[in-house]
Amino acid sequence: MKPADVKEKLRLSELFSFGGATGPLIGLLLLCVFLSFATDSFLSVRNFLNIMDQITVLGIIAVGMTFVILIGGIDLSVGSVLALSMMVLGYLNVHVDLPMALAIPGALLISAITGAIAGILIAYFKVPPFIATLAMMSIARGLANMITNGSQIIGFPAWFNMAAIIRYGGYLTITVGIMLTVFLLAWLFQRYRQGGRMLYAVGGNPEVARLAGIHVKRVTVLVYTVCATLAGLAGILLAARLDAVQPSIGVAYELDAIAAVVIGGTSLSGGTGGIGGTLVGVLIIGVLRNGLNLLSVSPFVQSVIIGLVIVVAVAAETFKRPAR
Amino acid sequence: MKPADVKEKLRLSELFSFGGATGPLIGLLLLCVFLSFATDSFLSVRNFLNIMDQITVLGIIAVGMTFVILIGGIDLSVGSVLALSMMVLGYLNVHVDLPMALAIPGALLISAITGAIAGILIAYFKVPPFIATLAMMSIARGLANMITNGSQIIGFPAWFNMAAIIRYGGYLTITVGIMLTVFLLAWLFQRYRQGGRMLYAVGGNPEVARLAGIHVKRVTVLVYTVCATLAGLAGILLAARLDAVQPSIGVAYELDAIAAVVIGGTSLSGGTGGIGGTLVGVLIIGVLRNGLNLLSVSPFVQSVIIGLVIVVAVAAETFKRPAR
Amino acid sequence: AQETGIGKIGLAVPNLQADFFNQIKLGVENYAAALGIEVITVDARGDTATQVSQVQDLITQGIDAFIYIPAGAAAATVPTRLARQAGIPVINVDREPEGEPGDTFIAGESVMSAYEVCAHIIALAGGEGKMAIIHGQRGTTPEVLRFEGCKQAIDENPGVELVTQQWSEMWSPDEGFQIAQNMLQAHPDLRLIFGQADGLAMGASQAVEVAGLRDQVIIGGYDGDIAALEYLARCEGAFVVTATQSTQAMGVLAVNSAIAAHHGASIPARQIPNAVLTTCENAQEFVENHP
Amino acid sequence: MTPHAKQPILTLRNIHKSYGPIKVLHGIDFDLHAGEVVALLGENGAGKSTLSNIISGTVLPSAGKMTWQGAAYAPSSPREAIDAGVGMIHQELMLLPHLSIAENVFVGRYPTRYGAVGRTEMERRAKQGLLRLGLDVSPRRLVDGLSTASQQLIEIAKALTLDAKMLILDEPTAALGGEETKLLFQQIARLKAEGVGIIYISHRLEEIKQIADRIVVMRDGAKVREFDTADLPVRTIVESMVGRSMEQMFPPLAVPDEQTVLEVRDLAGASRTFSGVSFSVRKGEIFGISGLVGAGRTELVRAIAGADPITHGSILLNGEDITPRSPGDAIRKGIVLVPEDRKLQGVILDHSIQENIGYSNFDSVGWGGWISSRRLRDFATENIRKFGIKGRGRQKAGQMSGGNQQKVVIAKWLARRPRVVLLDEPTRGIDVGARSSIYEIIHELASQGVAVIVVSSDLEEVLGVSNRVLVMAAGRQTGILDHSEANDVSVMELATA
Ligand SMILES: Nc1ncnc2c1ncn2[C@@H]1O[C@H](COP(=O)(O)OP(=O)(O)OP(=O)(O)O)[C@@H](O)[C@H]1O
Ligand SMILES: Nc1ncnc2c1ncn2[C@@H]1O[C@H](COP(=O)(O)OP(=O)(O)OP(=O)(O)O)[C@@H](O)[C@H]1O
Ligand SMILES: [Mg+2]
Ligand SMILES: [Mg+2]
């Protein structure tokens, strides 16, 4: 191969920030090919649109999680924050009778505050991210439950549910559109904005980043705030999809999101990876769940298969790297 | 203060490996004092014995988790492995009709194998611990469910349940005795055996440990195996306590165990902390749960309070350390 | 499949970890298998959003009828709407979505059965004493209705004093154990415990054993889980009564309703298979042959 | 003594090592005899550490054979090498900060009694080892917070207590001052007398003359020269290392402007690591800071660069008080720091060279907060060329030799065109060739009117590059010497004052 070729290849894969995710991308394609042959119903526009619907919530959470993991952190609270955001939305819109135009910002604000608190604990009080967000997970869940004493809320305006159901132009629901927009913005940010590059520096080595004049603490607080806000946004889209809110929702979503990010090639130690890979990771999880359902695999066996896929996807990366 | 005093003091706190856990120890005492005044029923031998009963499972899991965290790892699979161990025990004893003397080793063996697999993935395939054990969590849960297609098993021999019920000498059930033994052995190991000291070296910096001639990979596999085996043991004790097994048990136990270890002063980045602190951490969580129930606090508020306590316990450590 | 004219039934359950749903699943599957109908079961693992995704996938697979047990009432309406759009009949079991009823709703009558359980244990205690309730997951329909029923029994007996109640998250035995242990600690003279599910009741009975209060405390449960029935059939221990839901019958009823709805036959909007009060006497027959 | 008459204890034949497509060693032959000290010399990236790592079982060779004491030798892990009697001090500090000094010394080979780790015994022996190197600290103290030099001494003590039959010392003196070095050499002489074979790697050629029996010179992964004696003119050694003739090491000093750029007034740092420091640096001046290890120099320059809090005093730039509160603050004012520990503070090892350069130069590679990949690449390429870095923009910093990493750190800061440059140990672990190019860069900077501050433990270096030298002792400023009055004696006098 000529050197010029090498260069071009490198640049293409880099452009999409698939970084370590070319392996997973191949895995995703193989999975799709397999499912197309194994089932009648997988390969259809309708099923593809269903999958897009199904990954909306996970996708948006995973974007925020990518940023958190890029700076070397982790956020276990996203599932609970999502539930809290939903309950606040329901409370404001249905119980207090505020219009959605106020209820939605309200829910996002509460989510952002939980993230900011976690970020402050991590950056300024040196609480390890795992612990700070674990505590926030417990707190946000408790608060979500306290709003209605554990009951659900229904009675949103009709258009709200329609946003998740009507496929404009036959293809795009508003919720899927929002997810795609979030991915696009996050990708542009990560790739072309100073702020995005800073995340890599902070994750790579916070001390080097600090000495390079980056406000590491401020970046940390902002990233957790953004992650929580996105979890809140995901909650609002989920509320639209379910046309109801309940405080017990979103348990263990953080684990799915983390798995998606890591399958997508972002390293848990921070500093490498990116949004492109996360998209692949989210799709792998979404397609796998969908495919296993279409194959009528028993739910217990599904649990085993998903575990195996996570391990294989991540372990496969080891073989690609040159041995030491 | 005379220098000699300083020396003695250092050695005492060091002896119990309370290391960073003197703060939490004070917290525990304050908590007990508060509950003694706030409720009639807290301060009694019987309630103390109840608390011991209630922390048996968490305590044993937390011992294994301490070792894992000491070497800089994490194990999310303990809750699922506990369930798997219980189901294997029930299957072997009740369905296959093996005596307990074979069923118990069988259950422990299966648990050990899950741990060894996770350890091998982590040490040899460079899968991050979070991901390897997350996958194992999903796999073990699936397997636990597959054994009986999701149903529970009852029908253990009568003496088995008695081990968790009869308080010998009026105080000690066999299960609590086992937990105390596990703590004692772990403490001796961690403090006086070469193997125990090696954990600190591996957790402090695996490359340094490797260059010093420690088989880092072997240590890693062993530690995860021990952790899973202890989770399996905890499962057996839980089976004795409930006199029944079911595959849905143990969800989120890992989070409790991790919280207990970290509250006890063991750092999630590895290399510092120890069993003494973990005992304090487990007691804090046990006493807190017990106390909140005795105070009839709503579960939603409990969830908020426990989150706050975790944060405060860990953040408090920051203030003790000199700022740099 | 010839005689029934139906090929595939989709079954969405909230959580197979709960024996109750597992029993319904077995009821549906066994009966359908006998009729040569394929059943595709999906388990939402307690998550309503997952359930909506799974229902989409069921519809993609071209099911002819949809047996739907909502995972928490919140997901309720959307799957029904999706199925309706696709022209698939919806059979609700155990829980009914508010505002979007299916073609029929099959569920036991919770309030009355809970009343019977509580009345039974109160009678055993001589109509008086301190009582505790271990609730299920707070806010869920069964939790609310079972409490309502039990409360009626308590209110009819002025000698009974409800001294403490706690809620569990997962309806599970280990929670039941822990909660009951603490209740006994705070109220050593407790006479009665109502566990809103058999898991909770079994856990509570263990706690009573540990405290050595088997002769003092009387426990009631709910659901008729296999393990609980086996326990009751032994006729020893503090846990003495449960309301066995006719889960197998529900499964059969659901499949028959699905076939009828598929053919456009009219079916009643509400079908109520009775829960049977189960004690030491009749437990053994239910172990062998679950209703 | 005629070591050559005997059989060598270690032989290497045709050793190769490659990392993927990159060949690092090609066909090295090497012998070591009992009781001799062989100096292994070569430029940064010549392959000295790699070769040592192969001998100590840290990395596996791609091809080649080794024998040890007459038998075939192919250690697959450091454990095997240690068990065979081969010990090594690695170039990078390998200590566990959260453990006590004693545990660090005996990590992996704790003395045991009745199966239990014998703490008292361990502490006693550790103390012994440390005292031999002149380090008087309690072996129970945690390593965390010790100065780099003390840590280096612990690292050496670790190797000395091994009772190895052969020792590899990879740049043991890089962080040491003159006194510590002297004690180390006494220990090496003792080991030599006991018949231990020693491979000694260093970039300080004056040391080599003092202790080596033979010299082996490597260049680009191959052995290029062997000298049977160390008693050679430095010039000869240097020329064989770089493969060309060298001019003078230190370029001639220029006379700085009268205008004061940086003024430090009565500065004190947190936890009193230094206090009462006042000086001023003129435009185009090179200002050296000298002192014994632990004198507080690093803390001082970090404080000036905003990296550590200042508790008292002020810093003025062109007469304006700009006492910085954060590194970002200082950088915006034009004060940059090339830190002491490049691996932990200088570069992100996992990221490419161009990313590393980009992090400090966002303004130059984009506009309005946006980044242009093309501008980033071009900017990096330009600076890689300008500072003579051996590497491509996409290469990860961690894959480069130490010297080139150091150049990346220097490049990323100088590309900002700062007004004040603080260099903390700029040539630590850097070969003569690269070193002289760094000196050239320093002089070039000064001639452009930048105020340069150089902290160094290498006395020759401070004296060679500085217009004036500030000397510190135990956190205090003990004097400022002009170039004309500064020499070994006057500086050492102040440093020990
Ligand atoms: N893991 C690696 N992958 C690729 N190349 C490597 C790796 N490690 C080292 N190298 C390369 O091997 C060469 C030799 O490195 P080595 O560290 O042995 O040099 P050295 O002579 O010790 O230099 P220095 O004097 O700077 O310590 C360098 O060019 C370096 O870039
Ligand atoms: N994090 C810390 N905690 C406590 N003491 C410290 C810490 N860092 C440095 N010190 C101490 O501060 C003093 C000054 O250290 P500094 O690194 O500034 O000295 P130096 O003159 O630059 O020496 P070196 O050559 O070791 O870099 C030393 O005694 C050191 O032990
Ligand atoms: Mg080297
Ligand atoms: Mg220094």
Side-chain angles (χ1 to χ4, degrees), chain A residues 322-324, chain D residues 17-20 22-25 40-53 59 91-92 170-171 201-203 218 220-221 342-343 390 395-405 428-431:
Chain A
R324 50 161 292 132
Chain D
K17 174 71 194 173
S18 17
Y19 289 102
I22 309 164
K23 287 202 162 162
V24 176
L25 294 180
L40 194 55
L41 304 183
E43 286 183 288
N44 292 127
K48 306 178 295 291
S49 297
T50 307
L51 186 66
S52 316
N53 284 334
V59 301
Q91 185 169 5
E92 312 305 332
D170 195 352
E171 302 197 32
I201 300 172
S202 177
H203 290 293
M218 293 177 64
D220 295 334
R342 60 181 163 258
K343 291 222 148 100
K390 286 184 204 155
Q395 199 174 350
K396 284 194 178 164
Q399 291 170 354
M400 301 197 299
S401 71
N404 280 307
Q405 285 174 10
R428 172 175 292 174
I430 292 200
D431 70 54

Side-chain angles (χ1 to χ4, degrees), chain C residues 34-81:
Chain C
L35 296 178
I37 301 172
E38 182 189 349
V39 177
I40 306 170
T41 307
V42 288
D43 171 14
R45 289 180 300 277
D47 186 54
T48 52
T50 304
Q51 193 168 46
V52 173
S53 300
Q54 290 172 336
V55 173
Q56 277 185 328
D57 293 341
L58 284 178
I59 295 171
T60 307
Q61 289 173 88
I63 52 171
D64 299 308
F66 176 39
I67 301 175
Y68 173 39
I69 315 176
T77 55
V78 176
T80 311
R81 265 179 234 162

Side-chain angles (χ1 to χ4, degrees), chain A residues 41 46-47 50 53-54 149-150 152 154 161 238 241-244 246 248-250 253 290 293-294 296 299-300, chain C residues 16 40 42-43 45 47-49 52-54 56-57 59-61 71-74 77-78 81 98 137-139:
Chain A
S41 34
R46 168 119 173 254
N47 192 47
N50 279 350
D53 261 7
Q54 291 166 7
N149 227 335
Q152 55 165 344
I154 58 170
N161 182 227
L238 186 57
R241 196 164 132 84
L242 302 179
D243 203 13
Q246 78 186 72
S248 66
I249 207 150
Y253 279 21
N290 173 269
N293 283 340
L294 294 186
S296 307
F300 302 145
Chain C
L16 281 182
I40 306 170
V42 288
D43 171 14
R45 289 180 300 277
D47 186 54
T48 52
V52 173
S53 300
Q54 290 172 336
Q56 277 185 328
D57 293 341
I59 295 171
T60 307
Q61 289 173 88
T77 55
V78 176
R81 265 179 234 162
E98 220 173 302
Q137 190 185 6
R138 190 161 191 162

Side-chain angles (χ1 to χ4, degrees), chain B residues 324, chain D residues 145-149 273 292-299 340 425 457:
Chain B
R324 63 151 287 131
Chain D
L146 287 175
S147 71
T148 319
T273 40
L292 295 180
V293 163
R297 298 161 297 169
T298 297
E299 307 279 333
E340 178 176 38
E425 311 281 0
S457 299

Side-chain angles (χ1 to χ4, degrees), chain A residues 125-141:
Chain A
F125 294 85
K126 308 251 177 335
V127 179
F130 193 97
I131 297 302
T133 58
L134 175 64
M136 190 48 82
M137 165 178 162
S138 182
I139 295 172
R141 179 71 62 191

Side-chain angles (χ1 to χ4, degrees), chain D residues 153-210:
Chain D
L153 290 174
I154 294 167
E155 194 75 64
I156 294 170
K158 202 161 133 183
L160 293 183
T161 50
L162 264 183
D163 296 324
K165 298 189 201 68
M166 177 191 148
L167 263 189
I168 304 170
L169 302 139
D170 195 352
E171 302 197 32
T173 55
L176 297 188
E179 279 307 306
E180 290 93 355
T181 305
K182 216 177 273 170
L183 283 167
L184 171 64
F185 287 178
Q186 283 175 15
Q187 294 305 317
I188 291 181
R190 182 180 64 83
L191 290 172
K192 212 170 118 170
E194 290 168 8
V196 176
I198 291 171
I199 296 177
Y200 189 91
I201 300 172
S202 177
H203 290 293
R204 296 188 176 175
L205 299 182
E206 336 80 74
E207 295 176 359
I208 303 300
K209 278 195 181 182
Q210 294 177 46

Side-chain angles (χ1 to χ4, degrees), chain D residues 9-319:
Chain D
I9 48 172
L10 176 80
T11 68
L12 271 57
R13 292 293 171 262
N14 201 20
I15 297 288
H16 287 262
K17 174 71 194 173
S18 17
Y19 289 102
I22 309 164
K23 287 202 162 162
V24 176
L25 294 180
H26 2 224
I28 305 278
D29 292 342
F30 182 87
D31 290 332
L32 181 72
H33 296 84
E36 73 168 346
V37 177
V38 177
L40 194 55
L41 304 183
E43 286 183 288
N44 292 127
K48 306 178 295 291
S49 297
T50 307
L51 186 66
S52 316
N53 284 334
I54 287 174
I55 298 172
S56 66
T58 313
V59 301
L60 300 179
S62 313
K65 287 208 155 40
M66 294 189 273
T67 67
W68 167 246
Q69 296 184 324
Y73 173 66
S76 60
S77 70
R79 169 91 270 162
E80 284 178 36
I82 291 169
D83 289 345
V86 176
M88 171 160 178
I89 299 176
H90 290 266
Q91 185 169 5
E92 312 305 332
L93 283 172
M94 290 289 177
L95 295 176
L96 302 160
H98 300 306
L99 296 187
S100 69
I101 294 175
E103 282 216 45
N104 265 285
V105 170
F106 287 99
V107 61
R109 53 194 177 92
Y110 311 100
T112 51
R113 267 181 62 199
Y114 314 116
V117 173
R119 257 154 224 278
T120 336
E121 168 76 0
M122 189 163 88
E123 280 160 11
R124 191 183 57 76
R125 280 167 56 188
K127 179 90 192 165
Q128 239 174 27
L130 293 173
L131 280 179
R132 279 200 222 145
L133 295 166
L135 187 63
D136 189 13
V137 293
S138 162
R140 286 221 195 103
R141 190 184 189 287
L142 297 190
V143 164
D144 201 13
L146 287 175
S147 71
T148 319
S150 310
Q151 295 194 25
Q152 182 69 63
L153 290 174
I154 294 167
E155 194 75 64
I156 294 170
K158 202 161 133 183
L160 293 183
T161 50
L162 264 183
D163 296 324
K165 298 189 201 68
M166 177 191 148
L167 263 189
I168 304 170
L169 302 139
D170 195 352
E171 302 197 32
T173 55
L176 297 188
E179 279 307 306
E180 290 93 355
T181 305
K182 216 177 273 170
L183 283 167
L184 171 64
F185 287 178
Q186 283 175 15
Q187 294 305 317
I188 291 181
R190 182 180 64 83
L191 290 172
K192 212 170 118 170
E194 290 168 8
V196 176
I198 291 171
I199 296 177
Y200 189 91
I201 300 172
S202 177
H203 290 293
R204 296 188 176 175
L205 299 182
E206 336 80 74
E207 295 176 359
I208 303 300
K209 278 195 181 182
Q210 294 177 46
I211 55 156
D213 299 313
R214 281 197 297 135
I215 293 177
V216 170
V217 180
M218 293 177 64
R219 194 193 314 144
D220 295 334
K223 188 167 85 175
V224 289
R225 278 294 289 275
E226 256 189 289
F227 300 100
D228 273 342
T229 163
D231 197 12
L232 297 163
V234 167
R235 199 182 178 85
T236 319
I237 306 175
V238 170
E239 284 178 7
S240 70
M241 275 168 64
V242 299
R244 63 190 154 87
S245 61
M246 287 284 298
E247 294 108 52
Q248 202 188 347
M249 194 71 163
F250 299 107
L253 282 174
V255 182
D257 274 21
E258 282 305 311
Q259 189 197 337
T260 296
V261 176
L262 179 79
E263 192 178 344
V264 170
R265 280 192 195 156
D266 195 23
L267 208 62
S271 57
R272 313 309 282 177
T273 40
F274 67 90
S275 59
V277 178
S278 304
F279 62 86
S280 59
V281 186
R282 284 169 292 165
K283 199 171 174 193
E285 185 177 30
I286 303 174
F287 188 77
I289 301 183
S290 183
L292 295 180
V293 163
R297 298 161 297 169
T298 297
E299 307 279 333
L300 171 62
V301 287
R302 279 175 61 88
I304 296 174
D308 285 342
I310 293 168
T311 50
H312 185 258
S314 55
I315 295 167
L316 288 79
L317 191 65
N318 294 328

